[in-house]
Amino acid sequence: SPLVYPQETLMGKYGEEAKLIYELQDQGGELLALRYDLTVPFARYLAMNKITNIKRYHIAKVYRRDNPAMTRGRYREFYQCDFDIAGQFDPMIPDAECLKIVHEILSDLQLGDFLIKVNDRRILNGVFAVCGIPESKFITTCSTIDKLDKLPWEEVKNEMVGEEGLSPEAADRIGEYVQLHGEHCGVEPLASFLQAGQAGPVTQGCKVHTQLAGPFQENAQGEEPVSVGSVAGGGRYDGLVGMFDPKGRKVPCVGVSIGIERIFSILEQRVKASGEKIRTTETQVLVATPQKHLVAARLKLISELWDAGIKAEMLYKKDPKLLKQLQYCEDTGIPLAAIVGEQELTDGVVKLRDVATREEVRM
Amino acid sequence: SPLVYPQETLMGKYGEEAKLIYELQDQGGELLALRYDLTVPFARYLAMNKITNIKRYHIAKVYRRDNPAMTRGRYREFYQCDFDIAGQFDPMIPDAECLKIVHEILSDLQLGDFLIKVNDRRILNGVFAVCGIPESKFITTCSTIDKLDKLPWEEVKNEMVGEEGLSPEAADRIGEYVQLHGEHCGVEPLASFLQAGQAGPVTQGCKVHTQLAGPFQENAQGEEPVSVGSVAGGGRYDGLVGMFDPKGRKVPCVGVSIGIERIFSILEQRVKASGEKIRTTETQVLVATPQKHLVAARLKLISELWDAGIKAEMLYKKDPKLLKQLQYCEDTGIPLAAIVGEQELTDGVVKLRDVATREEVRM
């Protein structure tokens, strides 16, 4: 449920206590704002608590003063799912762990093929230098290469040569690099980490790309992979903690944000397309009774099952019909029914019924 | 981290995007407020989505426009932890489940002895009727009995007889009931459920008490239990969903809120008092190297451990000293170190070291 409400929604519900409702509108002249992401709050938390070394994840809501567009996944209130590593460490080791985690998450979710784009300004600068681009043209060349997401290489090259005055040879050499997809991207710990972990998508993704904090891209499966847009993004923010510290002390940070809601909508579409029925409950057993006046027996049995760590449910009716109870299992996908009737109580047993096969055992 | 920030904390961090920061102060004339609890939002959610049957839990922050008093556990922003059962069911069955869940939570947390107070206006009315209190005096008698929390029974009785004009006989009969702590509280499914579950605290707690939505009380252990105040509370709110439904359709609801932060502070005090050291990490293995230039070997091993579902960590340094790595295990309570040196690499083994006993095995 949302966190911010029209005032009238909350008013009149709490009687005398309503005076404690937090109206932001006139909170003693304090100008307040809702959080925009989880990164700035994290950096502020580190600075305020003088924390110089931490690894954490955080799933929570953030707020945008924006016109919502549900169809394009734009909301005023939505979840972010971040993890971050803060501290003074040797270069690229925490960065590599971030990539590893993104790779694990996207693989475990079985989203299909995806591409992780890794950027480092130093690599890009190195590539430009090797290609003979003058330093004064690094930034404009950067923004031109950015257009590769939308334009073919030929057009990008034309812009470089025509508008920016690069030599065709230099442009061609850049062309070779930007079209590389490979396991050798020159960042040694990163590469060895990724190679150690696994061959495959993540190493392919380790390509030179122009975005500084590059989004991770998810491609739908198929002959010609169609991009469904970015589902994660991240990067370093070494200067942010210092902005909140009274003495400006810096804490290097690297982190990634997973677009959990976009991923959910991809998964939902996939499930809908496959026609698969998803169980909405984890309940393993429904405790049922075939006769009247047995609510106490159901309560006793369910309590024993809960104590044994078994996920059990019962209908909140005093005397439900057995058929209704079995129907409920079928509707919700509960695989087993534990039935206690008068005979079972006398014999000290339970009848366990497999809902799908209708097989029964007394035990 | 908090959700609401002074505007200046967020400003200047996002560049061009800052215009999307949600300033509540002048959001197009909409008068907004932060949520005060999780119950009203839940009821509104049910009404807006026409949900008539659901069971859920929710752990999230709520806001109070209040003067914070940290020492007394009063905050402007704090967590609530609620569970609720909504739907048209037979009387007392969902209520009993709520009590069962509270009992399980408080038992599992090993908070010590606790008392659950259960109230039902109908029981109270029944008690009053049996004791010969005229109906016109039910409400005043109720508020007088409420004072039992602070006053001894004799003073409460005097007030009943002197100020309210009850007969001493009627007051004495009430006195018998309010001092009952027992397993027979007349609410059949509730009692049988609780008896079925376990003898002990919860059944003792099933006493007649006067608060309509009574807090659950936690008593510190000892000869004379000292109350540390309420750690949970709950009750029915059958009319709330109807307030949000355009046609006033009602959905009966019952729910409980657990005072998770107060419980944490009780647990923290207990741990501090016991001098016990609490591990702040779940890491089982630190992957370590005794020589330089082995970062790739560490990355490979940690990746394998992660794939096997083992909680492993490594220092984010290229060439850390072995002593530093072992010291880190001791500081954080990581029980095992998996060491790969040049010899181990050659032999294709790993040296596993028990940090506490310093025993080592090659495997």
Side-chain angles (χ1 to χ4, degrees):
Chain A
S1 57
L3 192 124
V4 178
Y5 288 90
Q7 198 192 34
E8 57 177 350
T9 302
L10 302 179
M11 285 300 165
K13 308 294 185 302
Y14 299 107
E16 187 58 20
E17 289 192 319
K19 67 176 192 294
L20 291 179
I21 292 177
Y22 212 132
E23 295 167 55
L24 286 170
Q25 195 72 358
D26 65 282
Q27 181 58 28
E30 287 178 60
L31 206 55
L32 299 173
L34 296 185
R35 69 176 165 219
Y36 181 86
D37 67 7
L38 302 177
T39 309
V40 168
F42 175 61
R44 179 175 173 269
Y45 170 80
L46 297 188
M48 290 183 64
N49 296 282
K50 299 189 174 40
I51 294 167
T52 55
N53 188 331
I54 194 174
K55 180 154 92 167
R56 76 95 161 83
Y57 71 89
H58 191 184
I59 301 174
K61 284 185 176 168
V62 299
Y63 296 82
R64 299 289 160 93
R65 185 175 167 182
D66 195 3
N67 286 326
M70 310 299 179
T71 47
R72 285 180 298 134
R74 287 168 75 94
Y75 302 94
R76 284 183 171 174
E77 169 175 308
F78 56 95
Y79 277 100
Q80 281 197 346
C81 166
D82 283 18
F83 54 87
D84 296 271
I85 301 173
Q88 193 72 56
F89 303 119
D90 278 344
M92 303 310 285
I93 303 182
D95 312 56
E97 184 162 323
C98 284
L99 288 177
K100 168 78 174 157
I101 294 171
V102 168
H103 184 268
E104 276 190 11
I105 292 172
L106 296 182
S107 303
D108 283 357
L109 287 173
Q110 303 187 323
L111 285 168
D113 288 341
F114 55 86
L115 183 68
I116 298 180
K117 297 180 179 175
V118 180
N119 315 283
D120 188 307
R121 186 55 177 267
R122 289 164 298 184
I123 302 174
L124 209 53
N125 288 350
V127 168
F128 289 170
V130 162
C131 297
I133 315 286
E135 235 181 289
S136 62
K137 292 192 175 160
F138 277 10
I139 290 175
T140 48
T141 309
C142 251
S143 18
T144 311
I145 292 182
D146 257 348
K147 299 184 182 165
L148 269 178
D149 273 350
K150 290 164 196 159
L151 298 178
W153 167 244
E154 278 309 312
E155 284 182 47
V156 171
K157 183 186 162 188
N158 287 344
E159 190 174 318
M160 282 181 178
V161 178
E163 290 172 36
E164 288 158 28
L166 294 190
S167 72
E169 296 74 32
D172 279 338
R173 289 169 80 180
I174 291 180
E176 280 171 39
Y177 277 103
V178 295
Q179 285 166 75
L180 271 184
H181 283 232
E183 304 189 10
H184 303 286
C185 58
V187 190
E188 194 244 311
L190 206 61
S192 62
F193 185 75
L194 298 173
Q195 285 164 12
Q198 55 278 308
V202 94
T203 47
Q204 289 164 23
C206 188
K207 75 165 194 178
V208 179
H209 188 268
T210 52
Q211 284 157 281
L212 282 177
F216 301 93
Q217 217 146 345
E218 201 267 354
N219 292 315
Q221 270 175 318
E223 282 300 302
E224 277 185 66
V226 179
S227 169
V228 299
S230 154
V231 294
R236 300 204 62 90
Y237 49 101
D238 293 336
L240 195 56
V241 176
M243 292 177 71
F244 292 104
D245 189 285
K247 294 187 185 160
R249 279 169 298 217
K250 288 191 176 179
V251 177
C253 293
V254 61
V256 175
S257 185
I258 304 282
I260 204 73
E261 276 162 316
R262 185 172 287 191
I263 289 176
F264 278 171
S265 76
I266 294 171
L267 291 175
E268 274 170 12
Q269 284 168 24
R270 189 162 299 185
V271 165
K272 208 181 256 179
S274 77
E276 218 178 297
K277 202 180 161 189
I278 295 278
R279 270 184 70 184
T280 55
T281 170
E282 290 187 8
T283 307
Q284 300 161 301
V285 187
L286 184 83
V287 172
T289 39
Q291 292 109 8
K292 287 197 173 185
H293 311 302
L294 289 172
V295 68
R298 271 190 290 152
L299 290 165
K300 184 170 184 301
L301 179 56
I302 202 168
S303 197
E304 288 171 7
L305 292 173
W306 286 343
D307 285 343
I310 293 167
K311 288 170 184 156
E313 239 182 285
M314 55 173 260
L315 297 195
Y316 296 133
K317 283 186 79 69
K318 236 182 140 189
D319 297 313
K321 295 226 161 64
L322 184 60
L323 207 64
K324 268 226 154 132
Q325 297 172 80
L326 295 174
Q327 188 60 47
Y328 180 78
C329 291
E330 288 191 6
D331 293 347
T332 55
I334 298 175
L336 294 171
I339 303 167
V340 264
E342 278 150 14
Q343 193 57 50
E344 284 76 21
L345 279 178
T346 310
D347 301 348
V349 297
V350 164
K351 201 155 69 182
L352 198 64
R353 181 185 173 104
D354 184 310
V355 176
T357 66
R358 300 185 181 186
E359 248 173 81
E360 290 184 346
V361 280
R362 283 163 62 92
M363 51 192 288
Chain B
S1 58
L3 190 123
V4 178
Y5 288 90
Q7 198 193 34
E8 58 178 349
T9 301
L10 302 179
M11 283 303 165
K13 309 293 184 305
Y14 299 107
E16 188 58 19
E17 288 193 319
K19 67 174 192 291
L20 291 179
I21 291 177
Y22 212 134
E23 294 166 55
L24 286 170
Q25 195 72 359
D26 64 281
Q27 181 58 29
E30 286 178 60
L31 205 54
L32 299 173
L34 296 184
R35 71 177 161 216
Y36 180 85
D37 67 9
L38 302 177
T39 309
V40 168
F42 175 60
R44 179 174 172 270
Y45 171 80
L46 297 187
M48 289 183 65
N49 295 283
K50 297 191 177 41
I51 294 167
T52 55
N53 188 331
I54 194 174
K55 181 155 89 169
R56 76 95 163 83
Y57 71 90
H58 190 185
I59 301 174
K61 283 184 177 167
V62 299
Y63 296 81
R64 299 289 160 93
R65 184 176 169 184
D66 195 4
N67 287 324
M70 310 299 179
T71 48
R72 286 180 297 134
R74 287 168 75 95
Y75 302 93
R76 282 184 172 173
E77 169 173 308
F78 57 95
Y79 277 101
Q80 281 197 345
C81 166
D82 284 18
F83 55 86
D84 296 271
I85 302 173
Q88 192 75 54
F89 302 119
D90 279 344
M92 305 310 285
I93 302 182
D95 313 56
E97 185 162 321
C98 284
L99 288 177
K100 168 78 174 159
I101 294 170
V102 168
H103 183 268
E104 275 189 13
I105 292 172
L106 297 183
S107 303
D108 283 357
L109 287 173
Q110 303 188 321
L111 285 169
D113 288 341
F114 54 86
L115 183 68
I116 298 181
K117 296 179 181 177
V118 180
N119 317 281
D120 188 306
R121 187 56 176 268
R122 288 164 298 183
I123 303 173
L124 210 53
N125 289 351
V127 168
F128 290 170
V130 162
C131 297
I133 315 287
E135 238 184 285
S136 61
K137 290 189 176 161
F138 277 11
I139 290 173
T140 48
T141 309
C142 252
S143 17
T144 311
I145 291 180
D146 258 349
K147 299 183 181 167
L148 270 179
D149 272 352
K150 290 164 195 160
L151 299 178
W153 166 244
E154 277 310 311
E155 284 182 48
V156 171
K157 182 186 162 186
N158 285 344
E159 190 175 316
M160 283 182 179
V161 177
E163 289 172 36
E164 288 159 28
L166 295 190
S167 72
E169 295 74 35
D172 280 337
R173 288 168 82 178
I174 292 180
E176 282 171 35
Y177 277 103
V178 294
Q179 286 168 73
L180 272 183
H181 283 233
E183 302 191 10
H184 303 288
C185 59
V187 190
E188 195 245 311
L190 206 60
S192 62
F193 184 75
L194 299 174
Q195 284 163 11
Q198 54 278 305
V202 92
T203 48
Q204 287 161 25
C206 188
K207 76 166 195 176
V208 179
H209 188 269
T210 53
Q211 283 158 280
L212 282 177
F216 301 93
Q217 219 144 347
E218 200 266 354
N219 292 314
Q221 270 175 319
E223 282 297 304
E224 275 186 68
V226 180
S227 168
V228 297
S230 153
V231 293
R236 297 205 64 89
Y237 48 102
D238 292 337
L240 196 58
V241 176
M243 292 176 72
F244 293 103
D245 189 285
K247 295 187 184 161
R249 277 168 298 215
K250 289 189 177 181
V251 177
C253 291
V254 62
V256 175
S257 187
I258 304 282
I260 204 73
E261 276 162 316
R262 184 172 287 192
I263 289 175
F264 279 172
S265 74
I266 294 171
L267 291 175
E268 274 170 11
Q269 284 168 24
R270 190 161 298 181
V271 165
K272 209 180 256 179
S274 76
E276 220 178 295
K277 203 179 159 191
I278 295 279
R279 273 184 68 184
T280 54
T281 169
E282 290 186 8
T283 307
Q284 300 160 300
V285 186
L286 184 84
V287 171
T289 38
Q291 292 111 7
K292 287 197 172 184
H293 312 299
L294 289 172
V295 68
R298 272 190 289 152
L299 289 164
K300 182 169 187 298
L301 179 55
I302 202 168
S303 197
E304 288 171 7
L305 291 173
W306 286 343
D307 284 344
I310 293 166
K311 288 170 184 156
E313 240 181 282
M314 55 173 261
L315 297 196
Y316 297 132
K317 281 185 83 68
K318 237 180 141 190
D319 296 314
K321 295 224 160 65
L322 184 60
L323 207 65
K324 267 226 157 134
Q325 297 174 80
L326 295 174
Q327 187 60 46
Y328 180 78
C329 291
E330 288 190 8
D331 293 346
T332 55
I334 299 175
L336 294 170
I339 303 167
V340 263
E342 279 150 14
Q343 192 57 51
E344 285 77 20
L345 280 177
T346 311
D347 301 349
V349 297
V350 164
K351 199 155 69 181
L352 198 63
R353 180 187 173 102
D354 184 310
V355 175
T357 66
R358 300 183 180 186
E359 251 174 76
E360 289 185 345
V361 281
R362 283 163 61 91
M363 52 191 287

